[in-house]
Amino acid sequence: MDHASFIIASYALTFVSIAGYALYIVRRARRLGALTSDDDKPWI
Amino acid sequence: MTTFQTAFEAKSKTTGTAASKKLGAATIVAVIFLVLSGLIFSAEDVVQGSTVRIMYVHVPSIWVAYLAFALTAIFSGVYLSNRSRSLIWDRLAGASAEIGVLFVAVSLVTGSLWGRLTWGTFWVWDARLTSTAFLFITYIGYLAVRRLGGTFRQRARRSSVMALLSVLEIPLVHFSVNLWRTLHQKASVADPNAKVSLDGLMLFTLFWGLISFTMLFAWLLVHRQRLMALEDAVQDRGLDRAIQQRRTEAGL
């Protein structure tokens, strides 16, 4: 594959940034979930 | 109930549900297939060679950004027009805008890498690139407005108005390639008059990218909106506690 470094970098940047954001959401939700009651979570 | 059971249940009662977990698992499978198809299975382009593979993440990223910002405006409109003024619409708008900003950033970076290979430069002040950068900055501003002080209802009202104004930029960005002479190519797949034909697997991979990125967006939106609800609840508790503390100090 020509220009493999650019192509792989574009895929890596895309999925690492999205995965990082998803991880931030999950971790913060776990932390705040422990501080709040079930009444604050109508989706449960 | 043991301490371990309590801790486990507290962790499981976060923003996930059985449905969102299924969506998450399906999204991971869809993304893995996209990466395999985009990097290995799909053919190289006659003109662009293997650099066309960047298209499978670049185009879906900007599609999700457009979708996210359009939904931000729709949710904001529903908030303003709904008599109940339910804050869920405001949280959905805020969550959608935040995800949109992430995907515009991804689109700008992947486009820049693609541009370096096809145009020989990472950036030009071309109408499409400049208007996309302006869109990115506008929604950074929207997120900043959401963080200004005030009550949740004040936040919802001012950010809803801003969302309804900001969404007008999307047609400008999308049609910038037709309105001005640009280095960026015009719409090809979406335009029936365009003299561009994609190989079957290339077209399939592109549409698979659109589907899997939309699934990613849906998962992120559900979880971010619920996280915002938790953030609001924690902020509310903190405010109640501060008021109670002041009252105690004042002997009321």
Side-chain angles (χ1 to χ4, degrees):
Chain A
M1 192 189 330
D2 295 334
H3 311 295
S5 58
F6 274 76
I7 294 163
I8 291 166
S10 66
Y11 276 67
L13 279 167
T14 300
F15 293 113
V16 166
S17 56
I18 295 168
Y21 180 66
L23 197 66
Y24 156 77
I25 291 174
V26 170
R27 279 188 169 182
R28 192 162 159 77
R30 277 188 183 173
R31 201 155 53 83
L32 296 185
L35 297 174
T36 48
S37 66
D38 286 356
D39 296 339
D40 297 319
K41 301 164 197 147
W43 53 88
I44 291 178
Chain B
M1 191 181 285
T2 63
T3 316
F4 174 75
Q5 275 177 312
T6 317
F8 178 77
E9 288 199 358
K11 272 195 166 186
S12 67
K13 288 177 181 175
T14 56
T15 52
T17 55
S20 73
K21 281 173 188 167
K22 281 177 192 162
L23 175 64
T27 305
I28 289 170
V29 172
V31 166
I32 289 171
F33 186 73
L34 171 68
V35 172
L36 290 175
S37 190
L39 290 179
I40 300 166
F41 303 143
S42 67
E44 292 188 358
D45 186 64
V46 177
V47 180
Q48 298 196 38
S50 58
T51 60
V52 76
R53 297 182 194 283
I54 298 176
M55 174 177 74
Y56 307 126
V57 287
H58 174 70
V59 174
S61 303
I62 197 66
W63 148 251
V64 166
Y66 286 168
L67 175 71
F69 296 148
L71 284 176
T72 301
I74 291 168
F75 293 142
S76 300
V78 172
Y79 172 79
L80 289 175
S81 62
N82 203 325
R83 275 189 185 176
S84 68
R85 290 278 200 270
S86 171
L87 284 172
I88 193 170
W89 299 111
D90 171 62
R91 291 186 196 117
L92 280 166
S96 192
E98 195 176 284
I99 300 163
V101 165
L102 172 71
F103 279 88
V104 170
V106 165
S107 179
L108 283 169
V109 172
T110 53
S112 180
L113 289 169
W114 198 3
R116 178 68 183 82
L117 296 175
T118 51
W119 305 333
T121 179
F122 285 108
W123 186 263
V124 279
W125 291 103
D126 158 281
R128 170 59 72 83
L129 276 68
T130 309
S131 58
T132 308
F134 191 63
L135 184 73
F136 175 69
I137 292 164
T138 302
Y139 278 90
I140 291 276
Y142 169 86
L143 295 178
V145 164
R146 289 188 68 84
R147 285 173 181 265
L148 293 174
T151 63
F152 296 144
R153 303 224 172 265
Q154 285 171 331
R155 174 191 74 188
R157 202 168 45 242
R158 65 175 167 241
S159 56
S160 295
V161 172
M162 189 167 173
L164 290 172
L165 293 173
S166 305
V167 77
L168 300 175
E169 271 182 56
I170 292 178
L172 187 75
V173 174
H174 188 70
F175 295 110
S176 59
V177 287
N178 300 327
L179 295 169
W180 292 282
R181 285 178 62 193
T182 64
L183 199 56
H184 194 284
Q185 73 175 64
K186 289 183 168 41
S188 45
V189 179
D191 183 1
N193 301 320
K195 291 171 185 167
V196 175
S197 61
L198 281 176
D199 168 73
L201 194 54
M202 289 168 78
L203 195 61
F204 171 78
T205 309
L206 180 61
F207 279 104
W208 190 259
L210 297 176
I211 291 165
S212 51
F213 270 54
T214 306
M215 288 166 73
L216 254 176
F217 168 73
W219 187 90
L220 289 169
L221 181 67
V222 166
H223 285 265
R224 187 65 184 99
Q225 181 275 129
R226 288 174 181 168
L227 176 59
M228 277 185 176
L230 293 180
E231 286 169 345
D232 286 356
V234 168
Q235 196 181 325
D236 234 6
R237 292 270 159 74
L239 198 63
D240 285 348
R241 221 173 298 142
I243 292 169
Q244 191 58 43
Q245 201 176 346
R246 278 286 174 87
R247 282 189 172 159
T248 313
E249 284 167 7
L252 295 172

